[in-house]
């Protein structure tokens, strides 16, 4: 998957689906002062291990995509940064069965998987079987809507390109978004419904996602000289099937989390969130188990009160964290600070955006040190306000003037 495609996709993957407007000057007034004047805003900054500024820091707020930092930390604690997710491939009665378990199976990675099968001497296949039973077929994520936007992609255990695709209809012809992603029959059907122009869309539901996965795999197998004679089957890998390959993703967890945080990829975040809800090899994982696992982890790691975690991406408006809780989370995340997106040398932090929600949490560079901060705004404001707050936190020689005694 090309960097250009991932960057373009990221503009739609941001929770809430808001494109990022150009930097614009704010209305007159210091950015921090503007935040302190808001009714539904909280802000906290720690410096040299002491809280220097705290405004409504214990008020539970909607965190939006800053929730992804919690998911990232939980994943690191569970698997470690060198962990690689895998896909198992089995043969039963001439059928190739694929068993899902990898959140980052993109087109290039599927090429490596197919090369691995080719190296095993795999010949013609009767068909392809798809086993996505790792996740419950009724998996439902609060906050996910029925839009075509990539940030609303369904989360399935078997998925290609985060259950999204890019298509262009031009001059009566349909083209795929990337050379490494074949234009399948399903892609053509979707393109016919979209009309002219370039489109980035999600695959809507589990059935559509599995069919598309199977079609892309079949096309890549054919291109590698492994003909597929039959169609697709869905279900559990048959008893007695022989595993012919365990494909470990070329990306380790570090290389999965960095783009998840930079591009605010909801699919990856909630895939990991669901995985965290079960033991390795357990099937039928769902959001209820994931939410319980999140509560258990939080109780052990932080002992918070008055919080709510509904999903791992921050899509749900029922999520609740306080700025102080986010700060504590960030301090635990400090060894992995380089995974957070960079803001022009001023900050390394994660944004969060929903309608009427603007958040920003991470580290600002103050006096040669990285200091943790969390900003949560639960009312409509200019997108750039949070960026200006980080700029001001980095530049201000003395933040105590905003909050004498640190609390205001």
């Amino acid at each position: 998957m090309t960097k250009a495609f991932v960057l373009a996709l990221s503009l739609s993957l941001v929770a809430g689906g808001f494109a990022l407007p150009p930097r614009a000057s704010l209305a007159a007034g210091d950015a921090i002062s503007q935040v302190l004047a808001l009714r539904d805003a909280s802000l906290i900054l720690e410096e040299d291990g002491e809280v220097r500024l705290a405004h409504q820091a214990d008020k539970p707020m909607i965190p939006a995509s800053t929730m992804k930092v919690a998911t990232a930390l939980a994943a690191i604690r569970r698997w470690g940064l060198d962990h690689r997710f895998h896909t198992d491939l089995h043969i039963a009665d001439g059928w190739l069965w694929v068993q899902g378990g990898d959140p980052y199976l993109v087109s290039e990675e599927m090429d490596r998987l197919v090369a691995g099968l080719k190296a095993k001497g795999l010949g013609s296949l009767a068909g392809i079987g798809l086993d996505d039973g790792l996740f419950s077929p009724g998996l439902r994520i609060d906050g996910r809507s029925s839009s075509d936007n990539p940030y609303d992609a369904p989360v399935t255990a078997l998925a290609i390109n985060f259950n999204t695709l890019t298509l262009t209809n031009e001059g009566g012809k349909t083209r795929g978004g990337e050379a490494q992603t074949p234009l399948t029959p399903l892609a053509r059907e979707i393109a016919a419904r979209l009309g002219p122009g370039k489109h980035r869309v999600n695959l809507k539901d589990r059935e559509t996602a599995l069919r598309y996965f199977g079609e892309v795999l079949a096309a890549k197998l054919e291109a590698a000289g492994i003909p597929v004679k039959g169609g697709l089957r869905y279900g559990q890998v048959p008893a007695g099937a022989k595993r012919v390959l365990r494909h470990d993703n070329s990306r380790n967890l570090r290389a999965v989390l960095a783009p998840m945080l930079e591009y605010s990829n909801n699919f990856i975040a909630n895939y990991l969130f669901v995985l965290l809800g079960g033991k390795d090899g357990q099937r039928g994982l769902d959001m209820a188990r994931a939410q319980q696992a999140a509560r258990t982890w939080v109780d052990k790691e932080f002992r918070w009160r008055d919080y709510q975690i509904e999903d791992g991406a921050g899509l749900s408006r029922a999520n609740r964290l306080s700025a102080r809780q986010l700060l504590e989370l960030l301090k635990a995340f400090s060894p992995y600070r380089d995974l957070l997106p960079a803001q022009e040398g001023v900050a390394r932090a994660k944004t969060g955006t929903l309608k009427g929600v603007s958040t920003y949490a991470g580290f600002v560079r103050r006096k040669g040190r990285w200091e943790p901060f969390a900003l949560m705004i639960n009312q409509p404001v200019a997108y750039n306000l949070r960026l200006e707050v980080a700029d001001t936190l980095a530049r201000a020689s003395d933040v105590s003037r905003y909050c004498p005694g640190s609390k205001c």
Side-chain angles (χ1 to χ4, degrees):
M1 185 169 287
T2 65
K3 186 174 182 180
F5 175 82
V6 173
L7 179 59
L9 178 62
S10 73
L11 298 181
S12 296
L13 283 172
V14 175
F18 295 97
L20 310 186
R23 293 289 293 268
S25 61
L26 292 166
D30 180 286
I32 293 177
S33 297
Q34 291 184 53
V35 168
L36 299 183
L38 296 174
R39 182 187 70 252
D40 295 321
S42 58
L43 174 62
I44 190 168
L45 169 73
E46 187 174 282
E47 187 174 22
D48 295 327
E50 299 289 337
V51 173
R52 301 297 184 190
L53 189 160
H55 174 65
Q56 300 193 114
D58 296 304
K59 182 178 180 179
M61 306 279 276
I62 302 171
S65 280
T66 57
M67 184 63 75
K68 292 182 175 75
V69 181
T71 301
L73 182 62
I76 293 168
R77 295 283 198 257
R78 169 77 176 271
W79 296 297
L81 287 173
D82 292 329
H83 178 78
R84 295 175 191 270
F85 296 101
H86 65 262
T87 303
D88 282 339
L89 299 110
H90 309 256
I91 292 291
D93 298 324
W95 283 71
L96 176 68
W97 281 88
V98 189
Q99 195 168 22
D102 187 349
Y104 214 112
L105 195 55
V106 294
S107 293
E108 298 93 331
E109 198 61 44
M110 187 175 278
D111 288 335
R112 298 182 184 99
L113 181 153
V114 170
L117 290 172
K118 183 75 171 178
K120 294 288 185 180
L122 203 65
S124 64
L125 298 168
I128 296 174
L130 303 173
D131 182 350
D132 73 329
L134 180 63
F135 294 168
S136 167
L139 187 68
R140 180 186 175 277
I141 297 170
D142 185 48
R144 179 183 168 244
S145 77
S146 59
S147 81
D148 286 328
N149 214 306
Y151 68 77
D152 274 326
V155 176
T156 55
L158 271 177
I160 182 75
N161 296 332
F162 318 122
N163 278 338
T164 66
L165 71 161
T166 301
L167 300 163
T168 299
N169 289 327
E170 193 173 50
K173 295 183 179 181
T174 298
R175 293 183 288 107
E178 300 182 296
Q180 64 267 39
T181 305
L183 190 64
T184 73
L186 176 59
R188 291 184 182 278
E189 291 175 21
I190 293 172
R193 299 197 298 265
L194 293 174
K198 186 174 182 178
H199 307 275
R200 293 189 301 275
V201 298
N202 75 70
L203 294 168
K204 291 288 190 180
D205 54 48
R206 173 175 173 259
E207 292 73 20
T208 304
L210 289 179
R211 178 186 164 190
Y212 184 62
F213 182 99
E215 288 184 359
V216 172
L217 177 57
K220 287 185 174 290
L221 288 167
E222 294 274 2
I226 305 174
V228 181
K229 298 177 181 178
L232 303 175
R233 288 179 179 173
Y234 308 94
Q236 189 168 354
V237 174
K242 179 183 178 182
R243 192 175 79 186
V244 293
L245 179 67
R246 167 163 285 185
H247 176 76
D248 291 318
N249 199 300
S250 61
R251 295 169 177 83
N252 60 17
L253 182 61
R254 174 183 289 276
V256 170
L257 294 178
M260 180 194 84
L261 292 167
E262 182 174 1
Y263 303 122
S264 207
N265 189 304
N266 295 330
F267 175 88
I268 296 175
N270 272 324
Y271 196 113
L272 295 177
F273 186 72
V274 176
L275 272 184
L276 287 163
K279 298 178 181 178
D280 293 342
Q282 189 175 358
R283 295 172 63 87
L285 304 180
D286 57 21
M287 292 302 285
R289 295 183 192 182
Q291 290 159 358
Q292 180 56 55
R295 288 191 291 270
T296 300
W297 176 72
V298 165
D299 291 346
K300 180 180 178 181
E301 184 95 10
F302 299 112
R303 300 177 182 269
W304 291 340
R305 294 184 178 181
D306 300 324
Y307 73 94
Q308 184 71 27
I309 298 178
E310 291 292 320
D311 80 295
L315 282 171
S316 175
R317 302 184 74 88
N319 289 319
R320 290 291 186 277
L321 292 178
S322 71
R324 196 180 304 275
Q325 288 165 344
L326 262 180
L327 188 81
E328 188 176 355
L329 170 66
L330 289 161
K331 291 167 68 175
F333 198 76
S334 182
Y336 320 109
R337 183 178 57 239
D338 61 323
L339 294 175
L340 293 168
Q343 180 193 329
E344 301 171 356
V346 171
R348 280 196 170 272
K350 180 74 192 79
T351 59
T353 308
L354 293 170
K355 186 176 181 180
V357 176
S358 180
T359 60
Y360 203 29
F363 301 84
V364 290
R365 192 73 172 169
R366 281 185 55 79
K367 304 174 184 178
R369 295 166 54 95
W370 289 107
E371 303 289 4
F373 79 99
L375 169 67
M376 308 182 80
I377 303 173
N378 282 190
Q379 65 185 82
V381 294
Y383 177 87
N384 292 331
L385 177 58
R386 53 189 162 187
L387 307 182
E388 295 293 339
V389 167
D391 286 340
T392 306
L393 288 174
R395 292 194 311 267
S397 58
D398 181 13
V399 296
S400 65
R401 68 184 179 88
Y402 295 102
C403 290
S406 81
K407 188 175 181 180
C408 55

